[in-house]
Amino acid sequence: MTNLSRLDAIRLFVFGVLLLILPAASWAQQRPPIAEQMAKTYGLDSFGQVEGIRYAFNAEFPCVKLSRSWEWNPKTDTVSYEGKDKEGKPVKVTYPRSQLGSQSDAVKNQIDPAFINDQYWLLFPFHVIWDSSATVTDEGTQKLPLGSGSAERVVVKYPSEGGASPGDTWELYVGADKRIEEFIFHRGGAIKPSVVIATWADYKKAGPLLISTDHRGTADGQPLRIFFSDVSVKVTGSENWIKAQ
């Protein structure tokens, strides 16, 4: 594990406030059809069956490598973290996000922002439906930013005020199979990186969920890789964890 202070050094994305899980139908009428189609491709209709998600978030930048392990129970919004603190000491903590105000400064200021960041990378196709504050538009078929060919460009823009990173914009390039192929992230504030361009690849199934486990590209022009390992899901009625494969 790499300690959380490395996150401060490279300023990985901290996205808007993580919402409690809401029924897709609540926001479907506010989204273009492709947004709901995409979310359903990733398992939106079955998300209510998910009792727990385990994963390790890994990031590689020039001269930087970090890894963090998480377990999240969506129904109770309870988070377990395993890694190291900024002094390099091992940390294992479990906390309900509904009681974040009573947690330690490390949880409030380091661990939970890291959880939000990592969970958004893992499940962003669902947040396109869940996050009611975001404006989502279908910009039609456009050329891929990295690879050859084209895909449907779906723009997800967060409001300029409120949340952890106001003004953030995601450009999702969605293929005919309704899977994200590539994306561009524009940060709304001054924190770096300002622009990230990366692939969505190495898709795996974890129970009812479809997960992109590998993202390669650039962050402000520098090489970037974000990938997930040890992904598994536990569903209602089972005590077993289903490994992504």
Side-chain angles (χ1 to χ4, degrees):
M1 294 290 175
T2 304
N3 67 48
L4 284 168
S5 65
R6 300 293 288 276
L7 173 62
D8 298 327
I10 60 176
R11 305 301 295 182
L12 287 180
F13 322 126
V14 177
F15 301 114
V17 176
L18 179 65
L19 301 179
L20 294 177
I21 305 311
L22 300 174
S26 298
W27 312 116
Q29 68 273 18
Q30 303 176 21
R31 303 293 187 243
I34 191 173
E36 187 175 7
Q37 294 164 5
M38 176 188 66
K40 287 184 175 183
T41 296
Y42 286 85
L44 180 67
D45 288 345
S46 300
F47 196 84
Q49 303 172 18
V50 175
E51 299 289 339
I53 306 173
R54 289 176 176 170
Y55 56 96
F57 172 91
N58 309 279
E60 296 179 355
F61 287 74
C63 304
V64 174
K65 289 187 178 182
L66 65 85
S67 182
R68 301 187 285 257
S69 293
W70 303 99
E71 181 178 325
W72 179 46
N73 184 314
K75 294 181 178 179
T76 62
D77 204 12
T78 300
V79 173
S80 295
Y81 165 75
E82 183 174 354
K84 296 181 179 180
D85 64 16
K86 60 184 179 180
E87 281 79 36
K89 298 178 181 179
V91 173
K92 292 180 71 173
V93 62
T94 297
Y95 62 98
R97 299 192 68 250
S98 62
Q99 300 175 23
L100 191 59
S102 64
Q103 302 300 315
S104 68
D105 287 345
V107 170
K108 288 186 288 187
N109 300 327
Q110 296 176 341
I111 294 175
D112 196 64
F115 164 73
I116 295 173
N117 175 83
D118 300 359
Q119 196 259 28
Y120 260 69
W121 273 97
L122 186 77
L123 300 177
F124 189 74
F126 298 149
H127 285 281
V128 175
I129 298 296
W130 292 340
D131 293 358
S132 61
S133 65
T135 300
V136 182
T137 57
D138 182 352
E139 303 295 327
T141 301
Q142 299 189 21
K143 185 180 181 299
L144 291 171
L146 292 174
S148 59
S150 59
E152 197 158 356
R153 179 170 168 259
V154 177
V155 177
V156 184
K157 184 173 179 59
Y158 287 85
S160 58
E161 296 182 0
S165 290
D168 288 352
T169 299
W170 293 64
E171 299 178 45
L172 309 177
Y173 289 79
V174 182
D177 58 1
K178 302 302 183 284
R179 296 183 179 189
I180 301 170
E181 297 182 7
E182 299 177 6
F183 87 114
I184 305 175
F185 171 78
H186 303 269
R187 186 184 296 282
I191 296 173
K192 301 298 182 179
S194 298
V195 179
V196 173
I197 307 173
T199 61
W200 281 57
D202 196 12
Y203 277 95
K204 296 181 179 180
K205 286 283 288 184
L209 306 184
L210 179 67
I211 303 290
S212 171
T213 62
D214 200 10
H215 309 279
R216 298 171 186 256
T218 60
D220 289 344
Q222 297 297 310
L224 161 78
R225 185 187 180 200
I226 302 289
F227 63 100
F228 292 95
S229 55
D230 302 323
V231 180
S232 59
V233 168
K234 185 166 66 174
V235 297
T236 302
S238 175
E239 293 300 317
N240 299 320
W241 289 86
I242 306 169
K243 185 176 180 180
Q245 56 186 355

